Amino acid sequence: MSAQPSLPTISETNHLSLEAFTKVISLLFEPTALLTQRIYDARPFEGYDKLLDKASQLIKELSPLEQLEVVNAHPRIGEKAKNLSALSRIEQGKASANEEAVLAKWAELNRRYEDRYGFRFVVFVNGRSKESLFPIVEERIAHGNRNKELVTGLSEMVDIARDRARKLEAASASCPAPRF
């Protein structure tokens, strides 16, 4: 079993090559070259909190098409584990006793959501079970406001990144970060 990744210091991150910086940003956000390049171009940052504040601002400044690219980089809830990043696998939790039925329902809900809005459903799972999120996605499908939904999904992505940064910084404080 591999250890949880850790973050280099923000000072180190500010001086990384684009390739190495991409690996760091991909720990916080699911990989997206567009967002990574924009964040890279906005360096230096005083801390990961400031980096994420800037990322949030940059996301809001993207064109609608670019915002779709960013939100669609996020994995679907209930996606096969092989298609998830290591952190997404952890965040989506362990299999439940009725996992097959839960995953089938997620496949249906993801299809309905994507048919309605044209992009992926994103929610900050925050340790909740996949089943407990059913009412949230059903409510978000029902309200039907595409613009509101895109803003919500992008905001949830930043919340996920903030949580990851907090956890990874704590892990980095207890063990040295890998060299990128």
Side-chain angles (χ1 to χ4, degrees), residues 75-95:
R76 293 174 181 93
I77 294 179
E79 187 119 41
K80 293 181 181 179
K82 68 178 184 158
N83 297 332
L84 301 174
S85 68
L87 292 175
S88 285
R89 274 194 302 277
I90 292 167
E91 291 159 356
Q92 289 200 23
K94 297 180 181 175

Side-chain angles (χ1 to χ4, degrees), residues 89-109:
R89 274 194 302 277
I90 292 167
E91 291 159 356
Q92 289 200 23
K94 297 180 181 175
S96 64
N98 59 342
E99 189 72 1
E100 192 172 309
V102 170
L103 295 180
K105 183 162 183 174
W106 268 110
E108 171 62 17
L109 289 169

Side-chain angles (χ1 to χ4, degrees), residues 4-17:
Q4 181 170 332
S6 58
L7 290 173
T9 67
I10 196 66
S11 178
E12 292 169 328
T13 299
N14 283 330
H15 293 93
L16 293 174
S17 67

Side-chain angles (χ1 to χ4, degrees), residues 10-173:
I10 196 66
S11 178
E12 292 169 328
T13 299
N14 283 330
H15 293 93
L16 293 174
S17 67
L18 178 58
E19 180 181 355
F21 187 83
T22 298
K23 291 177 184 176
V24 172
I25 295 302
S26 293
L27 292 172
L28 304 177
F29 293 95
E30 298 301 319
T32 167
L34 171 72
L35 182 58
T36 300
Q37 183 67 56
R38 301 280 173 94
I39 298 169
Y40 183 81
D41 291 343
R43 293 171 307 144
F45 301 102
E46 294 176 15
Y48 281 100
D49 57 333
K50 298 296 185 194
L51 181 151
L52 291 167
D53 289 347
K54 186 65 173 181
S56 180
Q57 176 192 335
L58 291 168
I59 288 169
K60 290 172 186 166
E61 294 171 358
L62 295 173
S63 72
L65 193 58
E66 291 169 327
Q67 288 177 337
L68 289 176
E69 179 182 330
V70 170
V71 80
N72 283 329
H74 203 77
R76 293 174 181 93
I77 294 179
E79 187 119 41
K80 293 181 181 179
K82 68 178 184 158
N83 297 332
L84 301 174
S85 68
L87 292 175
S88 285
R89 274 194 302 277
I90 292 167
E91 291 159 356
Q92 289 200 23
K94 297 180 181 175
S96 64
N98 59 342
E99 189 72 1
E100 192 172 309
V102 170
L103 295 180
K105 183 162 183 174
W106 268 110
E108 171 62 17
L109 289 169
N110 282 324
R111 184 196 59 74
R112 285 178 45 212
Y113 183 93
E114 291 174 30
D115 285 352
R116 176 141 204 170
Y117 297 115
F119 52 87
R120 292 183 179 177
F121 172 74
V122 179
V123 67
F124 179 24
V125 173
N126 196 22
R128 295 175 284 183
S129 71
K130 290 180 195 82
E131 297 98 316
S132 71
L133 302 172
F134 290 155
I136 295 169
V137 67
E138 288 167 341
E139 179 183 317
R140 286 173 56 184
I141 290 169
H143 77 64
N145 185 324
R146 186 177 190 277
N147 290 336
K148 178 181 176 188
E149 204 46 43
L150 182 57
V151 168
T152 299
L154 292 165
S155 176
E156 295 276 330
M157 287 181 69
V158 174
D159 291 343
I160 293 164
R162 287 186 193 286
D163 185 64
R164 287 178 176 182
R166 183 183 53 76
K167 289 174 180 172
L168 292 170
E169 282 185 294
S172 298

